[in-house]
Amino acid sequence: MHQRVLSCVALLGVLLSACAPAASQSAAPAAPAPQKAPPAPVSFEAMPFLSEGPVRSFPAPPPMTINPARTYRAVLKTAQGDVTVDLYAKASPVAVNNFVFLARHHFYDGTRFHRVIEGFMAQGGDPLSADPARSAEWGTGGPGYQFMAEVQNGLRFDRAGVLGMARAASLNSQGSQFFITVAPADFLSGGYTVFGQVVGGQEVLNRLQRNYTGSGRVVGAGADLLTGVQVFESR
């Protein structure tokens, strides 16, 4: 700007109004940078079930059938409403493949959230929890096999809605049981597999009946039903 003023002052005898065109002849403003197009919405297709009814036991872990390059989503249908989770197929392919395999065999149909602790998490996925007569054993069941945790993928339990694999003391004791945090639980990070995140229905988890505390089961408390799980795959 000061260069234009000096050029006008140097032209002695020229009217001030003569300097105005010089200012108007400045370079036109640059065109705005083109905006990046928003990412195309992911299109999902329901994956078909592999059995007519619940299959509760298998002789060995499933073969790898998911494509980690694709996106997977699961809708957990509960007595309190639906919970939608995005599954981390790329970061935790073994856990996601296992969950998808079991869900497609109706494994989770009719099971219960047998361990729900206020301010911590909701746990389900035990086939024994489908039988009220075996409530004393809830939390001890599995699909008939075990597999290794994926704990070096950098994912953390640092927020509510994180989907993780439950296990016993050994890292090689994962099976069918899972849990979803209802508050940050970062002390679990690096010790348990994170394989998904709630993207809808967190309020449903907040409505599940709290039936456990840090000291054990709440006497007389029930357990909400998981009526089924539908898995979707990106196309």
Side-chain angles (χ1 to χ4, degrees):
M1 183 67 182
H2 66 281
Q3 291 176 339
R4 294 196 188 104
V5 173
L6 288 176
S7 64
C8 291
V9 172
L11 298 174
L12 296 177
V14 179
L15 294 176
L16 180 61
S17 59
C19 293
S24 65
Q25 293 171 4
S26 59
Q35 297 291 321
K36 289 185 178 180
V42 177
S43 175
F44 287 98
E45 182 177 310
M47 300 184 75
F49 289 101
L50 301 175
S51 63
E52 292 295 325
V55 180
R56 308 281 195 204
S57 183
F58 300 89
M64 182 63 65
T65 57
I66 65 165
N67 180 353
R70 290 185 174 177
T71 302
Y72 293 85
R73 176 170 288 180
V75 177
L76 284 63
K77 301 180 180 298
T78 83
Q80 299 291 346
D82 292 353
V83 179
T84 302
V85 294
D86 279 350
L87 304 175
Y88 296 149
K90 186 174 181 180
S92 306
V94 180
V96 171
N97 183 72
N98 179 74
F99 186 83
V100 169
F101 173 81
L102 294 177
R104 295 180 70 192
H105 281 91
H106 294 281
F107 181 94
Y108 295 113
D109 295 15
T111 60
R112 291 170 169 82
F113 287 94
H114 64 274
R115 188 167 177 251
V116 183
I117 301 176
E118 179 65 33
F120 182 23
M121 60 88 212
Q123 184 173 336
D126 181 355
L128 299 180
S129 68
D131 185 357
R134 304 185 69 176
S135 61
E137 302 172 70
W138 291 359
T140 65
Y145 59 81
Q146 296 180 336
F147 63 100
M148 181 63 71
E150 296 160 283
V151 295
Q152 298 184 10
N153 53 18
L155 301 178
R156 308 191 67 83
F157 294 93
D158 57 356
R159 68 196 74 182
V162 178
L163 175 64
M165 286 297 301
R167 62 171 176 81
S170 169
L171 287 174
N172 196 33
S173 60
Q174 295 183 152
S176 60
Q177 294 190 44
F178 62 88
F179 64 93
I180 306 174
T181 60
V182 296
D186 207 30
F187 62 92
L188 299 176
S189 299
Y192 293 80
T193 302
V194 173
F195 71 104
Q197 173 69 43
V198 172
V199 294
Q202 184 69 32
E203 71 282 358
V204 173
L205 296 171
N206 296 334
R207 291 196 295 266
L208 295 180
Q209 188 163 180
R210 272 48 180 166
N211 49 28
Y212 252 82
T213 67
S215 57
R217 185 175 298 183
V218 176
V219 177
D224 285 289
L225 198 66
L226 176 56
T227 57
V229 178
Q230 175 69 68
V231 178
F232 297 84
E233 182 180 35
S234 64
R235 292 300 182 193

